[in-house]
Amino acid sequence: MALRLASIVEALGGEFHGDADLQIERLAPLESATPQELSFLSHPKYQSQLKASRAGCVIVAPLMRELALARGPCIVVDQPYLYFAHVTQLWKQRHPGPVRPRIHSSAVIDPDALVDPQASVGALCVVERGARVGAFTTIMSRVTIGEGCTVGERCLIHPGVVIGADGFGFAPNAGAWEKIEQLGAVRIGNDVEIGANTCIDRGALQDTVIGDGVKLDNLIQIGHNVQVGAHTAMAGCVGVAGSAVIGAHCTIGGGAIVLGHLTLADHVNISAASVVTRSIAKPGHYTGMFPIDDNAAWEKNAATLKQLHSLRERIRVLESTRGKPEEQA
């Protein structure tokens, strides 16, 4: 079912230029959009794609207004990417999928679990004893919510997520490992989205806590007793080791690692593939990685890095015997 451009602007606002009766059949990227599709320009560096785009209408920022008008119909807004997000929400509202049972017949829900009447549970899910699922939360297929864990309202949990498996806790005993029973749970706030096959371990003693509005991508590992502050977002394959505390409004790039027992302040941004080895007390953008290179060159550079400590000590000795360069000057 197509949407008239006028109905989109009426619902979401924006400065519109063009044919209000144009029927939009799909949302699409700039480079592949057709005259029946709506797209957006989120960054000026892609303006060459805007010039060449065949999209029926493009959402742009005021800075791109004249360029967009020269091309054709457009909607001018202060935040094109956010506006496009709202368009996707509107599109889904106007194109609902087939009606499904609130609780799939194959789901297993313990009699002592509490699932709000306005929540939905998909196929082959397991909700264990004492677990609680809040209103308007959607649990998709093959999700497991462990014993005593709680999920807030309006959450979206994608297929394969495991909430409340045991954390990785073992004590050494005469060359073997003795299991430390994980006695805590997992508490997830409201408006949280958790991507496919992400695992959130239950706490050893205290609960693992995921704050309101947190967004977790696919294949993320959250260790036991971790605390994640409100509205923090993590990209795919991030690993957070046990007892780390991550502040609110942080972002952690794909493949990054946060070591255990560290604390990250609010508004900390970690680059992809970084390894966070120390606590970070100040907001900002942090990167910790070794740049990719030809393997032979990388090995030589890595070997040099291993010598930095001894080189530093040699320099200290030289400075102490000859005087520092600034002293000589």
Side-chain angles (χ1 to χ4, degrees):
M1 181 181 67
L3 282 180
R4 290 173 62 245
L5 273 175
S7 66
I8 294 173
V9 177
E10 287 168 6
L12 302 177
E15 175 190 320
F16 177 65
H17 302 272
D19 180 7
D21 291 324
L22 178 65
Q23 298 288 323
I24 296 298
E25 297 177 358
R26 216 169 73 95
L27 311 179
L30 270 177
E31 64 271 20
S32 62
T34 71
Q36 286 72 48
E37 294 175 334
L38 175 65
S39 189
F40 71 102
L41 175 66
S42 61
H43 197 285
K45 70 179 181 180
Y46 300 118
Q47 59 185 281
S48 60
Q49 293 182 10
L50 174 62
K51 293 178 183 178
S53 180
R54 298 175 58 243
C57 184
V58 179
I59 304 162
V60 298
L63 183 64
M64 294 288 107
R65 178 189 285 106
E66 298 308 316
L67 185 62
L69 284 172
R71 190 210 65 90
C74 62
I75 301 172
V76 182
V77 294
D78 289 335
Q79 295 177 281
Y81 195 49
L82 178 61
Y83 191 92
F84 187 76
H86 291 159
V87 173
T88 65
Q89 295 167 10
L90 178 66
W91 191 270
K92 193 160 187 177
Q93 290 170 8
R94 303 288 177 88
H95 299 80
V99 178
R100 295 184 175 90
R102 187 179 69 85
I103 306 294
H104 194 276
S105 60
S106 65
V108 178
I109 300 176
D110 190 279
D112 290 331
L114 178 61
V115 177
D116 190 278
Q118 293 175 302
S120 62
V121 181
L124 302 172
C125 289
V126 176
V127 183
E128 296 184 351
R129 182 182 62 182
R132 291 184 293 164
V133 178
F136 303 106
T137 283
T138 299
I139 311 294
M140 303 183 81
S141 61
R142 297 185 180 275
V143 170
T144 297
I145 301 177
E147 182 176 345
C149 297
T150 60
V151 180
E153 299 181 355
R154 300 176 302 279
C155 296
L156 178 56
I157 302 178
H158 289 274
V161 168
V162 177
I163 296 170
D166 276 1
F168 193 68
F170 299 91
N173 180 16
W177 296 102
E178 197 76 28
K179 182 175 178 59
I180 299 171
E181 294 295 342
Q182 305 293 288
L183 305 179
V186 176
R187 288 185 283 122
I188 295 175
N190 299 326
D191 304 298
V192 172
E193 184 162 347
I194 304 173
N197 294 319
T198 283
C199 296
I200 304 174
D201 291 344
R202 66 175 56 248
L205 297 176
Q206 297 179 326
D207 293 346
T208 302
V209 179
I210 308 297
D212 291 346
V214 167
K215 310 300 180 187
L216 303 179
D217 198 0
N218 303 334
L219 295 167
I220 288 175
Q221 166 65 36
I222 304 292
H224 57 185
N225 301 104
V226 166
Q227 297 179 41
V228 180
H231 305 292
T232 281
M234 301 184 192
C237 298
V238 165
V240 182
S243 299
V245 177
I246 297 174
H249 302 281
C250 294
T251 60
I252 302 181
I257 301 294
V258 180
L259 300 188
H261 299 273
L262 301 183
T263 298
L264 274 59
D266 296 347
H267 298 284
V268 166
N269 304 308
I270 303 298
S271 295
S274 293
V275 179
V276 181
T277 58
R278 61 176 176 85
S279 292
I280 299 174
K282 295 181 180 180
H285 190 174
Y286 296 83
T287 303
M289 65 182 73
F290 199 85
I292 194 168
D293 203 347
D294 172 80
N295 187 69
W298 185 92
E299 288 180 346
K300 291 176 182 177
N301 288 329
T304 302
L305 282 174
K306 292 174 67 175
Q307 305 300 319
L308 284 179
H309 179 75
S310 61
L311 288 171
R312 183 181 66 176
E313 294 306 311
R314 289 172 63 186
I315 291 171
R316 282 181 174 175
V317 171
L318 289 171
E319 287 178 343
S320 65
T321 57
R322 300 180 184 179
K324 296 181 180 179
E326 59 268 24
E327 294 172 350
Q328 295 175 355

